[in-house]
Amino acid sequence: MANGTAKLTIDDFIKNNEVVKCIDSLKSAFPAGAKPLVVSDVVDGDNHQYVNLVQKGGGVLGIALVGYTYILEEMGIRFIRLAGTSAGAINTALMTVIGKKEDAKSTRVLDAICKLNFFDLVDGHPAARWIIRNFITHGDFSAKIKKWMTGIIATLIILLAGDFIFLGWQHSVHWLSTVTMVLFIITGIFLLMAGVLIFYILSLMKRLKNAGFGINPGDYFYDWIKKQLIDNGVKTVTDLQNKAAEDIPGLRLRVDHEDGLQGLKGDVTFITSELVTQNKIQFPAMWNLFRNDIDSLQPAGFIRASMSIPVFFESYFINDIPQGEEMKRKWLDAFGIDTPPANARFVDGGILSNFPINLFYNPKIITPRLPSFGIDLDDSRPGDSDPEPENWSLLGYFGRMFNTIRFYYDKDFLLKNKVFQKGIGTIPLAGYNWLNFFLSDQDKIDMFVRGAKAATEFLMKFDWEGYKDERKDMRKKLLREHALDPSAAENNLHNK
Protein backbone atom coordinates (compact mmCIF):
# COMPACT_ATOMS: atom_id res chain seq x y z
CA MET A 1 0.00 0.00 0.00
CA ALA A 2 2.98 2.26 -0.08
CA ASN A 3 3.36 5.03 -2.61
CA GLY A 4 6.34 4.97 -4.89
CA THR A 5 9.37 3.51 -3.16
CA ALA A 6 8.17 4.20 0.40
CA LYS A 7 7.48 1.03 2.35
CA LEU A 8 5.01 1.04 5.18
CA THR A 9 5.45 -1.54 7.91
CA ILE A 10 3.11 -2.92 10.54
CA ASP A 11 5.02 -0.97 13.20
CA ASP A 12 4.19 2.29 11.44
CA PHE A 13 0.60 1.62 12.43
CA ILE A 14 0.57 -0.24 15.73
CA LYS A 15 3.49 1.64 17.32
CA ASN A 16 2.02 5.02 16.51
CA ASN A 17 1.91 7.04 19.73
CA GLU A 18 -1.84 7.58 19.53
CA VAL A 19 -2.51 3.87 19.07
CA VAL A 20 -0.24 2.97 21.98
CA LYS A 21 -2.12 5.48 24.13
CA CYS A 22 -5.40 3.81 23.19
CA ILE A 23 -4.15 0.42 24.38
CA ASP A 24 -2.68 1.87 27.57
CA SER A 25 -5.89 3.73 28.45
CA LEU A 26 -8.03 0.62 27.97
CA LYS A 27 -5.73 -1.60 30.02
CA SER A 28 -5.70 1.01 32.77
CA ALA A 29 -9.51 1.21 32.71
CA PHE A 30 -9.91 -2.58 32.66
CA PRO A 31 -7.04 -4.12 34.63
CA ALA A 32 -6.87 -7.90 34.37
CA GLY A 33 -8.25 -9.59 37.47
CA ALA A 34 -9.49 -6.45 39.21
CA LYS A 35 -11.99 -5.00 36.74
CA PRO A 36 -11.68 -6.92 33.48
CA LEU A 37 -13.38 -5.86 30.27
CA VAL A 38 -16.55 -7.94 29.76
CA VAL A 39 -18.29 -7.75 26.38
CA SER A 40 -19.65 -11.30 25.95
CA ASP A 41 -20.58 -14.49 27.78
CA VAL A 42 -18.91 -16.66 25.13
CA VAL A 43 -15.24 -17.33 25.88
CA ASP A 44 -12.58 -19.86 24.88
CA GLY A 45 -9.86 -21.74 26.72
CA ASP A 46 -7.57 -18.69 26.67
CA ASN A 47 -10.36 -16.40 27.92
CA HIS A 48 -10.81 -14.63 24.60
CA GLN A 49 -14.32 -13.16 24.38
CA TYR A 50 -16.36 -13.77 21.23
CA VAL A 51 -18.70 -11.45 19.35
CA ASN A 52 -20.26 -11.26 15.90
CA LEU A 53 -18.89 -8.50 13.68
CA VAL A 54 -20.20 -6.59 10.67
CA GLN A 55 -17.98 -4.11 8.80
CA LYS A 56 -19.38 -1.31 6.69
CA GLY A 57 -18.29 -0.61 3.13
CA GLY A 58 -16.38 2.52 2.25
CA GLY A 59 -13.70 2.11 -0.41
CA VAL A 60 -10.20 2.95 0.80
CA LEU A 61 -11.65 3.99 4.16
CA GLY A 62 -11.46 0.28 5.00
CA ILE A 63 -8.02 0.93 6.51
CA ALA A 64 -9.84 2.52 9.46
CA LEU A 65 -11.73 -0.76 9.97
CA VAL A 66 -8.41 -2.51 10.60
CA GLY A 67 -7.49 0.07 13.25
CA TYR A 68 -10.78 -0.65 14.99
CA THR A 69 -10.43 -4.45 14.94
CA TYR A 70 -6.81 -4.17 16.07
CA ILE A 71 -7.94 -2.55 19.33
CA LEU A 72 -10.70 -5.13 19.80
CA GLU A 73 -8.22 -7.97 19.35
CA GLU A 74 -5.66 -6.39 21.64
CA MET A 75 -8.36 -6.39 24.31
CA GLY A 76 -8.92 -10.12 23.84
CA ILE A 77 -11.98 -9.96 21.59
CA ARG A 78 -12.43 -12.51 18.80
CA PHE A 79 -15.14 -13.13 16.20
CA ILE A 80 -17.47 -16.04 15.47
CA ARG A 81 -19.71 -14.74 12.67
CA LEU A 82 -18.43 -12.14 10.21
CA ALA A 83 -20.18 -10.08 7.56
CA GLY A 84 -19.28 -7.15 5.37
CA THR A 85 -20.00 -5.18 2.23
CA SER A 86 -17.56 -3.74 -0.30
CA ALA A 87 -14.42 -2.64 1.62
CA GLY A 88 -15.98 -4.30 4.66
CA ALA A 89 -16.13 -7.52 2.63
CA ILE A 90 -12.38 -7.33 1.96
CA ASN A 91 -11.49 -7.05 5.64
CA THR A 92 -14.11 -9.67 6.49
CA ALA A 93 -12.56 -12.10 3.99
CA LEU A 94 -9.04 -11.60 5.30
CA MET A 95 -10.13 -11.95 8.93
CA THR A 96 -11.94 -15.16 8.02
CA VAL A 97 -9.13 -16.95 6.23
CA ILE A 98 -6.08 -15.80 8.22
CA GLY A 99 -4.98 -18.10 11.04
CA LYS A 100 -7.34 -19.78 13.49
CA LYS A 101 -10.53 -18.42 15.03
CA GLU A 102 -8.76 -17.79 18.31
CA ASP A 103 -5.87 -15.90 16.64
CA ALA A 104 -5.53 -12.13 16.36
CA LYS A 105 -5.78 -11.24 12.67
CA SER A 106 -5.42 -7.45 12.31
CA THR A 107 -1.62 -7.27 12.15
CA ARG A 108 -1.58 -9.85 9.37
CA VAL A 109 -4.30 -7.92 7.55
CA LEU A 110 -2.06 -4.87 7.92
CA ASP A 111 0.84 -6.83 6.44
CA ALA A 112 -1.23 -7.61 3.35
CA ILE A 113 -2.26 -3.97 3.08
CA CYS A 114 1.30 -2.69 3.48
CA LYS A 115 2.36 -4.79 0.51
CA LEU A 116 -0.45 -3.50 -1.69
CA ASN A 117 -0.19 -0.36 -3.80
CA PHE A 118 -3.78 0.87 -3.75
CA PHE A 119 -3.38 2.71 -7.04
CA ASP A 120 -2.74 -0.62 -8.79
CA LEU A 121 -6.41 -1.36 -8.16
CA VAL A 122 -7.21 1.39 -10.65
CA ASP A 123 -6.45 -0.85 -13.62
CA GLY A 124 -8.51 0.85 -16.30
CA HIS A 125 -7.84 3.25 -19.17
CA PRO A 126 -4.98 5.74 -18.64
CA ALA A 127 -7.55 8.56 -18.66
CA ALA A 128 -9.29 6.97 -15.65
CA ARG A 129 -6.02 6.71 -13.76
CA TRP A 130 -5.18 10.35 -14.55
CA ILE A 131 -8.59 11.58 -13.35
CA ILE A 132 -8.38 9.63 -10.10
CA ARG A 133 -4.80 10.67 -9.45
CA ASN A 134 -5.51 14.36 -10.04
CA PHE A 135 -9.11 14.86 -8.98
CA ILE A 136 -10.25 12.29 -6.43
CA THR A 137 -8.18 13.26 -3.40
CA HIS A 138 -8.96 15.05 -0.14
CA GLY A 139 -10.47 17.95 -2.03
CA ASP A 140 -14.09 18.11 -3.11
CA PHE A 141 -14.31 16.37 -6.49
CA SER A 142 -17.25 18.51 -7.62
CA ALA A 143 -15.38 21.69 -6.66
CA LYS A 144 -12.40 20.66 -8.78
CA ILE A 145 -14.60 19.86 -11.77
CA LYS A 146 -16.38 23.17 -11.36
CA LYS A 147 -13.03 24.99 -11.19
CA TRP A 148 -11.78 23.30 -14.36
CA MET A 149 -15.02 23.94 -16.28
CA THR A 150 -15.06 27.56 -15.14
CA GLY A 151 -11.46 27.97 -16.29
CA ILE A 152 -12.16 26.46 -19.72
CA ILE A 153 -15.29 28.54 -20.28
CA ALA A 154 -13.62 31.74 -19.03
CA THR A 155 -10.64 31.15 -21.32
CA LEU A 156 -12.90 30.63 -24.32
CA ILE A 157 -14.91 33.79 -23.54
CA ILE A 158 -11.73 35.85 -23.15
CA LEU A 159 -10.31 34.53 -26.43
CA LEU A 160 -13.54 35.15 -28.39
CA ALA A 161 -13.95 38.63 -26.86
CA GLY A 162 -10.33 39.43 -27.73
CA ASP A 163 -10.88 38.25 -31.31
CA PHE A 164 -13.84 40.58 -31.80
CA ILE A 165 -12.23 43.55 -30.04
CA PHE A 166 -8.91 43.34 -31.87
CA LEU A 167 -10.69 42.61 -35.16
CA GLY A 168 -12.43 45.98 -34.86
CA TRP A 169 -9.34 47.87 -33.67
CA GLN A 170 -6.91 46.56 -36.26
CA HIS A 171 -8.26 49.00 -38.87
CA SER A 172 -7.34 51.91 -36.61
CA VAL A 173 -4.04 50.57 -35.30
CA HIS A 174 -2.03 48.84 -38.01
CA TRP A 175 0.21 46.68 -35.82
CA LEU A 176 -2.84 45.15 -34.11
CA SER A 177 -3.51 43.08 -37.25
CA THR A 178 -0.59 40.82 -36.31
CA VAL A 179 -1.90 40.48 -32.75
CA THR A 180 -5.38 39.71 -34.10
CA MET A 181 -4.03 36.99 -36.37
CA VAL A 182 -2.09 35.39 -33.49
CA LEU A 183 -5.16 35.59 -31.27
CA PHE A 184 -7.31 33.93 -33.95
CA ILE A 185 -4.74 31.13 -34.27
CA ILE A 186 -4.73 30.60 -30.48
CA THR A 187 -8.54 30.54 -30.44
CA GLY A 188 -8.59 28.03 -33.28
CA ILE A 189 -6.11 25.78 -31.50
CA PHE A 190 -8.14 26.05 -28.29
CA LEU A 191 -11.38 25.13 -30.09
CA LEU A 192 -9.63 22.26 -31.85
CA MET A 193 -8.35 20.94 -28.52
CA ALA A 194 -11.85 21.29 -27.03
CA GLY A 195 -13.28 19.34 -29.97
CA VAL A 196 -10.68 16.60 -29.58
CA LEU A 197 -11.45 16.46 -25.85
CA ILE A 198 -15.19 16.13 -26.49
CA PHE A 199 -14.58 13.42 -29.11
CA TYR A 200 -12.28 11.61 -26.68
CA ILE A 201 -14.88 11.79 -23.91
CA LEU A 202 -17.54 10.38 -26.26
CA SER A 203 -15.22 7.54 -27.25
CA LEU A 204 -14.57 6.83 -23.56
CA MET A 205 -18.32 6.72 -22.96
CA LYS A 206 -18.68 4.17 -25.75
CA ARG A 207 -15.80 2.22 -24.29
CA LEU A 208 -17.48 2.46 -20.88
CA LYS A 209 -20.65 0.87 -22.26
CA ASN A 210 -18.71 -1.91 -23.97
CA ALA A 211 -16.83 -2.54 -20.71
CA GLY A 212 -20.00 -3.09 -18.71
CA PHE A 213 -20.27 0.52 -17.51
CA GLY A 214 -17.10 0.34 -15.47
CA ILE A 215 -13.92 2.36 -16.03
CA ASN A 216 -11.75 -0.24 -14.27
CA PRO A 217 -11.93 -3.99 -15.03
CA GLY A 218 -11.18 -4.91 -11.42
CA ASP A 219 -8.90 -7.73 -12.57
CA TYR A 220 -6.00 -6.61 -10.39
CA PHE A 221 -8.16 -6.66 -7.28
CA TYR A 222 -9.62 -10.07 -8.17
CA ASP A 223 -6.16 -11.55 -8.63
CA TRP A 224 -4.92 -9.93 -5.41
CA ILE A 225 -7.76 -11.14 -3.19
CA LYS A 226 -7.62 -14.60 -4.80
CA LYS A 227 -3.92 -14.80 -3.92
CA GLN A 228 -4.67 -13.76 -0.32
CA LEU A 229 -7.22 -16.55 -0.02
CA ILE A 230 -4.96 -19.18 -1.58
CA ASP A 231 -1.98 -18.13 0.55
CA ASN A 232 -4.16 -18.87 3.58
CA GLY A 233 -5.29 -22.26 2.33
CA VAL A 234 -8.63 -21.23 0.80
CA LYS A 235 -8.89 -22.37 -2.81
CA THR A 236 -12.57 -23.30 -2.99
CA VAL A 237 -15.90 -22.17 -1.57
CA THR A 238 -15.91 -25.31 0.56
CA ASP A 239 -12.54 -24.26 1.99
CA LEU A 240 -13.98 -20.83 2.78
CA GLN A 241 -17.02 -22.23 4.56
CA ASN A 242 -14.93 -24.71 6.52
CA LYS A 243 -12.52 -21.96 7.56
CA ALA A 244 -15.37 -19.75 8.76
CA ALA A 245 -16.99 -22.60 10.69
CA GLU A 246 -13.93 -24.20 12.25
CA ASP A 247 -14.11 -25.25 15.89
CA ILE A 248 -12.78 -23.03 18.65
CA PRO A 249 -10.72 -24.87 21.32
CA GLY A 250 -12.26 -24.67 24.76
CA LEU A 251 -15.32 -22.69 23.75
CA ARG A 252 -17.63 -22.25 26.74
CA LEU A 253 -20.14 -19.91 28.35
CA ARG A 254 -19.21 -17.58 31.18
CA VAL A 255 -22.70 -17.99 32.67
CA ASP A 256 -25.38 -20.65 32.27
CA HIS A 257 -27.76 -20.30 29.34
CA GLU A 258 -30.70 -22.48 28.36
CA ASP A 259 -29.37 -22.86 24.80
CA GLY A 260 -25.83 -23.74 25.85
CA LEU A 261 -23.43 -23.57 22.90
CA GLN A 262 -26.10 -24.55 20.39
CA GLY A 263 -25.97 -22.42 17.24
CA LEU A 264 -22.64 -20.80 18.11
CA LYS A 265 -21.03 -21.80 14.84
CA GLY A 266 -19.00 -19.44 12.70
CA ASP A 267 -19.88 -18.32 9.20
CA VAL A 268 -19.07 -15.51 6.81
CA THR A 269 -21.28 -13.37 4.56
CA PHE A 270 -20.49 -10.98 1.72
CA ILE A 271 -23.32 -8.78 0.46
CA THR A 272 -23.71 -7.95 -3.23
CA SER A 273 -26.46 -6.60 -5.49
CA GLU A 274 -27.66 -8.64 -8.48
CA LEU A 275 -29.07 -6.43 -11.24
CA VAL A 276 -30.73 -8.91 -13.61
CA THR A 277 -33.22 -10.10 -10.99
CA GLN A 278 -32.79 -6.99 -8.80
CA ASN A 279 -32.05 -8.82 -5.56
CA LYS A 280 -29.68 -8.69 -2.60
CA ILE A 281 -27.40 -11.74 -2.66
CA GLN A 282 -25.60 -13.21 0.34
CA PHE A 283 -22.49 -15.15 -0.59
CA PRO A 284 -21.49 -17.88 0.00
CA ALA A 285 -24.89 -18.89 1.43
CA MET A 286 -26.69 -18.41 -1.91
CA TRP A 287 -24.11 -20.11 -4.11
CA ASN A 288 -26.62 -22.78 -5.18
CA LEU A 289 -28.67 -20.19 -7.11
CA PHE A 290 -25.84 -19.93 -9.62
CA ARG A 291 -24.25 -23.38 -9.83
CA ASN A 292 -25.04 -27.01 -9.07
CA ASP A 293 -21.48 -27.68 -7.88
CA ILE A 294 -20.36 -25.44 -5.01
CA ASP A 295 -16.70 -25.55 -5.96
CA SER A 296 -17.27 -24.56 -9.57
CA LEU A 297 -17.45 -20.99 -8.22
CA GLN A 298 -14.40 -19.05 -7.09
CA PRO A 299 -14.63 -17.53 -3.57
CA ALA A 300 -12.60 -14.50 -4.68
CA GLY A 301 -15.51 -13.72 -6.98
CA PHE A 302 -17.80 -13.19 -4.00
CA ILE A 303 -15.59 -10.39 -2.65
CA ARG A 304 -15.09 -8.94 -6.13
CA ALA A 305 -18.87 -8.90 -6.60
CA SER A 306 -19.41 -7.19 -3.24
CA MET A 307 -17.01 -4.32 -3.99
CA SER A 308 -18.04 -3.66 -7.61
CA ILE A 309 -18.47 0.09 -7.14
CA PRO A 310 -20.82 1.20 -9.96
CA VAL A 311 -19.01 2.94 -12.84
CA PHE A 312 -15.72 2.84 -10.95
CA PHE A 313 -15.41 -0.92 -11.44
CA GLU A 314 -16.94 -3.15 -14.07
CA SER A 315 -19.78 -5.37 -12.92
CA TYR A 316 -18.92 -8.87 -11.84
CA PHE A 317 -20.63 -11.60 -13.88
CA ILE A 318 -21.57 -15.20 -13.29
CA ASN A 319 -22.50 -16.57 -16.69
CA ASP A 320 -24.13 -19.75 -17.94
CA ILE A 321 -26.30 -20.38 -14.90
CA PRO A 322 -27.70 -23.92 -15.13
CA GLN A 323 -31.40 -24.16 -15.96
CA GLY A 324 -33.87 -26.94 -15.28
CA GLU A 325 -36.55 -27.78 -12.74
CA GLU A 326 -34.24 -27.97 -9.73
CA MET A 327 -32.76 -24.53 -10.40
CA LYS A 328 -36.25 -23.11 -10.98
CA ARG A 329 -37.31 -24.42 -7.59
CA LYS A 330 -34.30 -22.80 -5.89
CA TRP A 331 -35.05 -19.38 -7.40
CA LEU A 332 -38.74 -19.72 -6.64
CA ASP A 333 -38.02 -20.54 -3.00
CA ALA A 334 -35.47 -17.74 -2.65
CA PHE A 335 -37.11 -14.86 -4.53
CA GLY A 336 -40.38 -16.07 -6.03
CA ILE A 337 -38.77 -16.12 -9.47
CA ASP A 338 -39.72 -19.15 -11.58
CA THR A 339 -37.35 -18.37 -14.46
CA PRO A 340 -33.69 -18.25 -13.36
CA PRO A 341 -31.49 -15.78 -15.27
CA ALA A 342 -29.02 -17.20 -17.77
CA ASN A 343 -26.41 -14.72 -16.55
CA ALA A 344 -26.10 -12.72 -13.34
CA ARG A 345 -24.59 -9.25 -13.05
CA PHE A 346 -23.36 -7.98 -9.69
CA VAL A 347 -22.53 -4.51 -8.40
CA ASP A 348 -21.56 -3.16 -5.00
CA GLY A 349 -23.62 -4.65 -2.18
CA GLY A 350 -23.74 -1.21 -0.57
CA ILE A 351 -26.48 -0.24 -3.02
CA LEU A 352 -28.90 -2.39 -1.01
CA SER A 353 -27.20 -3.12 2.32
CA ASN A 354 -23.97 -1.42 3.25
CA PHE A 355 -24.19 -2.41 6.92
CA PRO A 356 -25.88 -5.84 7.18
CA ILE A 357 -26.05 -6.19 10.95
CA ASN A 358 -29.55 -7.68 10.63
CA LEU A 359 -27.88 -10.97 9.65
CA PHE A 360 -26.97 -11.56 13.28
CA TYR A 361 -30.46 -11.22 14.75
CA ASN A 362 -31.96 -14.51 15.93
CA PRO A 363 -35.55 -13.97 17.18
CA LYS A 364 -35.53 -17.38 18.88
CA ILE A 365 -32.92 -16.24 21.42
CA ILE A 366 -34.40 -14.36 24.38
CA THR A 367 -31.20 -13.57 26.27
CA PRO A 368 -28.17 -13.09 24.00
CA ARG A 369 -24.99 -15.01 24.73
CA LEU A 370 -22.82 -12.64 22.72
CA PRO A 371 -23.35 -9.20 21.17
CA SER A 372 -23.33 -8.14 17.55
CA PHE A 373 -20.66 -5.50 17.03
CA GLY A 374 -20.67 -3.21 14.02
CA ILE A 375 -18.09 -0.77 12.66
CA ASP A 376 -19.62 2.25 10.97
CA LEU A 377 -17.69 4.66 8.73
CA ASP A 378 -18.79 8.30 8.69
CA ASP A 379 -17.14 10.39 6.00
CA SER A 380 -19.88 13.01 5.84
CA ARG A 381 -18.86 16.66 5.83
CA PRO A 382 -20.66 19.34 7.86
CA GLY A 383 -22.45 20.55 4.74
CA ASP A 384 -23.84 17.08 4.07
CA SER A 385 -26.12 17.41 7.10
CA ASP A 386 -27.57 20.80 6.10
CA PRO A 387 -31.34 20.45 6.73
CA GLU A 388 -32.21 23.23 4.29
CA PRO A 389 -32.77 21.71 0.80
CA GLU A 390 -32.23 25.04 -0.94
CA ASN A 391 -28.61 25.00 0.24
CA TRP A 392 -27.76 21.69 -1.42
CA SER A 393 -25.63 21.47 -4.51
CA LEU A 394 -26.68 19.30 -7.46
CA LEU A 395 -24.18 16.62 -6.41
CA GLY A 396 -25.38 16.96 -2.84
CA TYR A 397 -28.94 16.40 -4.02
CA PHE A 398 -28.07 13.24 -5.93
CA GLY A 399 -25.85 12.08 -3.07
CA ARG A 400 -28.73 12.34 -0.61
CA MET A 401 -31.05 10.54 -3.01
CA PHE A 402 -28.58 7.68 -3.43
CA ASN A 403 -27.88 7.48 0.31
CA THR A 404 -31.62 7.36 1.05
CA ILE A 405 -31.87 4.25 -1.11
CA ARG A 406 -28.77 2.43 0.04
CA PHE A 407 -29.08 3.17 3.76
CA TYR A 408 -32.81 2.60 4.17
CA TYR A 409 -32.78 -1.20 4.51
CA ASP A 410 -30.15 -1.21 7.27
CA LYS A 411 -31.57 1.91 8.94
CA ASP A 412 -35.05 0.37 9.04
CA PHE A 413 -33.72 -2.66 10.91
CA LEU A 414 -31.84 -0.51 13.43
CA LEU A 415 -34.88 1.69 14.06
CA LYS A 416 -36.95 -1.39 14.88
CA ASN A 417 -34.17 -2.96 16.93
CA LYS A 418 -32.54 -0.02 18.66
CA VAL A 419 -30.55 -2.17 21.07
CA PHE A 420 -28.28 -3.14 18.18
CA GLN A 421 -27.15 0.49 18.04
CA LYS A 422 -25.38 -0.12 21.34
CA GLY A 423 -22.99 -2.51 19.63
CA ILE A 424 -22.02 -0.09 16.86
CA GLY A 425 -18.96 2.14 16.94
CA THR A 426 -18.54 4.96 14.43
CA ILE A 427 -15.22 6.08 12.94
CA PRO A 428 -15.26 9.80 11.96
CA LEU A 429 -13.54 10.19 8.59
CA ALA A 430 -14.70 13.57 7.32
CA GLY A 431 -12.21 14.95 4.81
CA TYR A 432 -11.23 11.58 3.36
CA ASN A 433 -12.48 10.54 -0.06
CA TRP A 434 -13.51 6.90 -0.18
CA LEU A 435 -12.40 6.68 -3.84
CA ASN A 436 -8.97 8.22 -3.33
CA PHE A 437 -6.83 5.24 -4.31
CA PHE A 438 -3.74 7.47 -4.26
CA LEU A 439 -3.63 7.97 -0.52
CA SER A 440 -0.40 9.08 1.08
CA ASP A 441 1.23 6.85 3.66
CA GLN A 442 0.34 9.37 6.35
CA ASP A 443 -3.30 9.29 5.28
CA LYS A 444 -3.36 5.53 5.77
CA ILE A 445 -1.77 5.77 9.21
CA ASP A 446 -4.13 8.57 10.23
CA MET A 447 -7.19 6.53 9.23
CA PHE A 448 -5.90 3.53 11.16
CA VAL A 449 -5.42 5.79 14.19
CA ARG A 450 -8.98 7.11 13.85
CA GLY A 451 -10.25 3.54 13.81
CA ALA A 452 -8.24 2.73 16.93
CA LYS A 453 -9.57 5.78 18.75
CA ALA A 454 -13.16 4.98 17.80
CA ALA A 455 -12.79 1.40 19.09
CA THR A 456 -11.30 2.69 22.34
CA GLU A 457 -14.17 5.11 22.88
CA PHE A 458 -16.68 2.35 22.11
CA LEU A 459 -15.20 -0.16 24.55
CA MET A 460 -15.02 2.44 27.30
CA LYS A 461 -18.79 2.93 27.04
CA PHE A 462 -20.07 -0.54 26.13
CA ASP A 463 -22.23 -2.13 28.83
CA TRP A 464 -22.68 -5.86 28.22
CA GLU A 465 -25.17 -6.41 31.03
CA GLY A 466 -27.25 -3.46 29.86
CA TYR A 467 -27.10 -4.77 26.29
CA LYS A 468 -28.35 -8.19 27.43
CA ASP A 469 -31.20 -6.67 29.44
CA GLU A 470 -32.39 -4.53 26.53
CA ARG A 471 -32.24 -7.45 24.11
CA LYS A 472 -34.24 -9.56 26.57
CA ASP A 473 -36.82 -6.80 27.07
CA MET A 474 -37.15 -6.36 23.31
CA ARG A 475 -37.82 -10.06 22.84
CA LYS A 476 -40.37 -10.16 25.68
CA LYS A 477 -42.19 -7.20 24.15
CA LEU A 478 -42.45 -9.05 20.86
CA LEU A 479 -43.78 -12.12 22.64
CA ARG A 480 -46.47 -9.99 24.32
CA GLU A 481 -47.40 -8.54 20.92
CA HIS A 482 -47.59 -12.08 19.60
CA ALA A 483 -50.08 -13.02 22.31
CA LEU A 484 -52.29 -10.03 21.47
CA ASP A 485 -52.01 -10.19 17.68
CA PRO A 486 -50.26 -13.33 16.43
CA SER A 487 -50.32 -12.39 12.74
CA ALA A 488 -48.87 -8.91 13.28
CA ALA A 489 -46.20 -10.10 15.70
CA GLU A 490 -45.13 -12.97 13.48
CA ASN A 491 -44.81 -10.55 10.58
CA ASN A 492 -42.74 -8.26 12.80
CA LEU A 493 -40.46 -11.13 13.80
CA HIS A 494 -40.07 -12.17 10.19
CA ASN A 495 -39.07 -8.66 9.17
CA LYS A 496 -36.46 -8.56 11.89
Side-chain angles (χ1 to χ4, degrees):
M1 197 172 65
N3 294 333
T5 58
K7 296 290 184 181
L8 279 175
T9 67
I10 296 172
D11 285 350
D12 291 325
F13 293 91
I14 66 174
K15 291 188 177 180
N16 179 279
N17 288 335
E18 295 298 317
V19 175
V20 173
K21 287 180 183 178
C22 288
I23 299 294
D24 290 343
S25 63
L26 283 168
K27 291 187 175 180
S28 295
F30 304 103
K35 182 189 173 184
L37 174 68
V38 178
V39 300
S40 171
D41 288 336
V42 181
V43 295
D44 66 15
D46 293 322
N47 288 321
H48 296 128
Q49 303 182 75
Y50 286 82
V51 304
N52 296 325
L53 180 69
V54 60
Q55 300 183 71
K56 188 176 184 179
V60 298
L61 305 182
I63 303 169
L65 297 173
V66 188
Y68 197 105
T69 58
Y70 172 73
I71 295 296
L72 297 185
E73 290 183 330
E74 284 295 296
M75 294 305 295
I77 299 170
R78 301 292 186 265
F79 315 102
I80 289 185
R81 304 183 65 195
L82 289 155
T85 302
S86 196
I90 300 171
N91 286 354
T92 294
L94 294 175
M95 294 181 68
T96 299
V97 303
I98 289 173
K100 301 291 185 181
K101 278 283 189 182
E102 63 271 24
D103 295 339
K105 315 290 186 78
S106 296
T107 54
R108 291 179 63 182
V109 174
L110 271 177
D111 183 57
I113 290 175
C114 288
K115 295 174 181 176
L116 173 65
N117 183 345
F118 272 22
F119 200 60
D120 286 339
L121 301 177
V122 185
D123 56 354
H125 192 277
R129 295 175 64 85
W130 183 87
I131 289 172
I132 292 169
R133 184 187 293 270
N134 291 279
F135 283 82
I136 306 180
T137 56
H138 282 300
D140 186 356
F141 177 73
S142 60
K144 288 192 174 185
I145 291 293
K146 183 178 180 180
K147 182 178 179 180
W148 269 65
M149 293 302 297
T150 300
I152 291 172
I153 293 172
T155 301
L156 180 59
I157 291 174
I158 291 171
L159 287 173
L160 291 175
D163 289 338
F164 284 109
I165 292 172
F166 283 100
L167 184 63
W169 284 356
Q170 69 176 346
H171 299 292
S172 302
V173 183
H174 178 70
W175 62 269
L176 284 180
S177 60
T178 303
V179 176
T180 303
M181 180 177 66
V182 172
L183 199 58
F184 265 90
I185 292 173
I186 294 174
T187 304
I189 293 173
F190 186 84
L191 290 172
L192 178 63
M193 292 175 62
V196 170
L197 179 62
I198 292 172
F199 176 79
Y200 186 59
I201 291 174
L202 291 175
S203 67
L204 287 179
M205 293 300 294
K206 183 178 180 180
R207 182 188 181 98
L208 183 68
K209 179 180 180 181
N210 295 336
F213 297 105
I215 62 177
N216 296 294
D219 294 337
Y220 187 93
F221 170 76
Y222 177 88
D223 292 338
W224 179 79
I225 194 65
K226 181 179 179 180
K227 183 178 184 303
Q228 302 307 310
L229 299 183
I230 292 174
D231 287 349
N232 286 283
V234 174
K235 298 180 180 179
T236 66
V237 179
T238 299
D239 291 337
L240 176 66
Q241 291 184 321
N242 290 340
K243 192 78 171 179
E246 66 184 7
D247 293 332
I248 302 169
L251 194 68
R252 59 185 175 85
L253 295 179
R254 191 195 308 274
V255 297
D256 291 335
H257 192 282
E258 59 184 357
D259 294 302
L261 294 175
Q262 182 181 358
L264 293 176
K265 196 71 173 176
D267 61 24
V268 63
T269 302
F270 311 112
I271 303 296
T272 185
S273 306
E274 203 286 304
L275 297 185
V276 177
T277 61
Q278 302 175 47
N279 284 298
K280 182 181 80 170
I281 302 297
Q282 298 171 196
F283 281 131
M286 295 182 177
W287 70 267
N288 63 345
L289 295 176
F290 306 95
R291 287 291 185 269
N292 292 322
D293 175 16
I294 186 172
D295 290 330
S296 63
L297 290 171
Q298 168 53 239
F302 300 159
I303 301 102
R304 170 67 178 81
S306 182
M307 58 81 66
S308 297
I309 303 167
V311 181
F312 195 89
F313 286 111
E314 293 179 16
S315 304
Y316 182 77
F317 289 86
I318 294 180
N319 296 318
D320 303 320
I321 298 172
Q323 303 298 301
E325 292 304 316
E326 182 180 358
M327 190 61 71
K328 287 183 179 180
R329 179 183 56 78
K330 292 175 183 176
W331 278 88
L332 190 63
D333 290 345
F335 298 115
I337 297 172
D338 57 7
T339 304
N343 305 296
R345 180 175 188 168
F346 302 93
V347 294
D348 197 303
I351 290 177
L352 295 177
S353 180
N354 205 34
F355 194 60
I357 199 167
N358 64 297
L359 293 173
F360 300 143
Y361 178 55
N362 183 352
K364 296 178 181 179
I365 299 295
I366 296 177
T367 303
R369 293 162 292 180
L370 76 172
S372 294
F373 281 0
I375 312 175
D376 190 13
L377 301 173
D378 182 12
D379 62 340
S380 60
R381 297 182 297 272
D384 296 338
S385 58
D386 193 329
E388 301 299 331
E390 61 270 17
N391 295 332
W392 302 346
S393 65
L394 180 62
L395 284 177
Y397 166 75
F398 282 111
R400 280 174 173 262
M401 184 167 61
F402 181 61
N403 286 340
T404 299
I405 297 169
R406 70 191 187 111
F407 292 149
Y408 180 78
Y409 186 86
D410 301 323
K411 185 186 293 184
D412 183 59
F413 172 81
L414 289 171
L415 286 173
K416 293 176 180 177
N417 304 274
K418 293 182 179 179
V419 63
F420 278 83
Q421 292 276 11
K422 294 184 177 296
I424 298 172
T426 301
I427 307 174
L429 293 163
Y432 290 98
N433 191 314
W434 64 289
L435 287 177
N436 180 14
F437 284 80
F438 201 66
L439 289 168
S440 70
D441 288 347
Q442 191 58 50
D443 288 336
K444 299 164 191 172
I445 294 171
D446 288 346
M447 283 196 286
F448 182 89
V449 170
R450 292 197 186 197
K453 288 182 175 180
T456 303
E457 181 180 355
F458 168 77
L459 290 178
M460 288 289 192
K461 296 178 180 179
F462 183 71
D463 177 7
W464 169 231
E465 293 301 324
Y467 181 97
K468 282 198 295 184
D469 289 342
E470 287 198 37
R471 277 282 303 273
K472 186 163 53 177
D473 291 343
M474 181 184 75
R475 177 59 179 156
K476 288 180 178 178
K477 179 182 178 182
L478 289 174
L479 289 174
R480 287 195 298 270
E481 291 175 358
H482 174 67
L484 295 173
D485 185 355
S487 61
E490 282 302 312
N491 183 57
N492 198 13
L493 285 173
H494 176 72
N495 289 335
K496 293 177 180 180

